[in-house]
Amino acid sequence: MTKNIKEHLEGIDKELASLILKIGDISNTISNELPYRRGKADTKNVFGELQLVIDKWADQFLIDELKKSNLVKTLASEEQPDLVKLNDDGIFNVTVDPLDGSSNIESNNLVGTIIGIYKKDLPTQGKNQIAAMYILFGPVTTLIYTAQNGVHEFLQTKKGFVLREENIKLPEPGKLYSVGGLRKDWLPSFNKYVEELEMEGFKLRYGGSFVGDFNQILHYGGIFAYPALNTKPNGKLRLLFESNPMSFIIEQAGGASTNGNGSILEVEPENIDQRVPTYVGNKNLIEKLEKML
Ligand code: FDP
């Protein structure tokens, strides 16, 4: 019989299970609102990026709903300049990227929500996450989570989220590469690395949303990178909101992450809006990359 997410979460801490379920429900509502909340808002976020109506709405909806849950003490959102205090007696501290890949909204390509869950105060190293998850709004909405118990995937159906795959492991050998940034801005050593992958038969598949591009690496194996660039030494992705949760998931799936020097989960954040060169994928590919960089 197909397990639903509630049954699957019976094995973990009750409050954490409630939080994961709550975030699943919130994300469903965000996904359902996508056809209706269209267009640009007249504001920029802390990173100077133009916000969409749906970016702002999803952010506020997450804040309001997580506040009502009483489970969350502090929230850090990619759309907010500062930490948001929710409940003094909340148990968890949560990072959210309410709508990752929002430049894909116009073209109706993949977008999603990325979440990191901590007990330690924010900001802190990614290795202090107790759970991480993302919800991918694709042809089917899927929820992927780890609570340090392996990586599990659920499909959104008429009966809610039902288990699709338990204990996902990155397929070996990986055969895809997915890399952001202009090629002319890549560091020469990284360019050489990609040329070698191409010579080995690796195929380029880049969609322009971290959540979607990461998801295909998780299922097919390979490497995703938003690398250090000549123009932007820290690349584009945000340590707290994007790179840490995905690194936590990839390491739980038997893969690895690096900022070029070591695991992203070891990076000590100085600010909540810090960016980090991000490379995630099969272990052998990350090891080779670290040597070449
Ligand atoms: P977006 O700007 O559309 O929100 O960090 C956000 C992000 O998307 C990632 O999801 C994605 O991997 C990357 O930026 C895409 O950047 P490029 O447009 O430079 O490819």
Side-chain angles (χ1 to χ4, degrees), residues 168-187:
I168 299 179
K169 293 288 171 206
L170 250 80
E172 301 273 358
K175 278 290 171 209
L176 295 181
Y177 75 97
S178 186
V179 180
L182 295 179
R183 198 166 189 137
K184 70 176 179 58
D185 295 332
W186 295 351
L187 306 182

Side-chain angles (χ1 to χ4, degrees), residues 24-35:
D25 289 346
I26 295 172
S27 298
N28 265 331
T29 308
I30 295 176
S31 157
N32 291 337
E33 290 292 318
L34 288 172

Side-chain angles (χ1 to χ4, degrees), residues 4-118:
N4 68 34
I5 190 166
K6 210 167 170 189
E7 289 161 337
H8 179 86
L9 289 167
E10 273 164 14
I12 71 166
D13 172 80
K14 241 175 88 195
E15 272 97 6
L16 181 57
S18 303
L19 179 61
I20 291 172
L21 285 174
K22 178 76 189 167
I23 292 168
D25 289 346
I26 295 172
S27 298
N28 265 331
T29 308
I30 295 176
S31 157
N32 291 337
E33 290 292 318
L34 288 172
Y36 309 110
R37 299 183 187 269
R38 312 290 299 175
K40 294 187 179 89
D42 288 331
T43 48
K44 288 184 178 172
N45 66 13
V46 61
F47 301 98
E49 298 164 338
L50 270 178
Q51 291 175 302
L52 301 179
V53 170
I54 188 75
D55 279 325
K56 289 187 79 170
W57 179 83
D59 181 49
Q60 195 56 52
F61 184 66
L62 261 158
I63 293 174
D64 294 344
E65 289 297 306
L66 289 179
K67 188 171 172 58
K68 276 191 238 161
S69 78
N70 288 328
L71 290 164
V72 180
K73 191 155 69 175
T74 305
L75 179 128
S77 165
E78 192 180 285
E79 301 299 334
Q80 296 287 334
D82 301 305
L83 294 173
V84 184
K85 300 266 173 230
L86 294 188
N87 288 100
D88 285 344
D89 41 7
I91 305 166
F92 305 104
N93 298 308
V94 174
T95 64
V96 301
D97 181 354
L99 204 60
D100 177 64
S102 45
S103 62
N104 275 353
I105 290 281
E106 189 60 26
S107 56
N108 196 28
N109 288 341
L110 298 178
V111 293
T113 301
I114 306 176
I115 305 278
I117 303 175
Y118 299 77

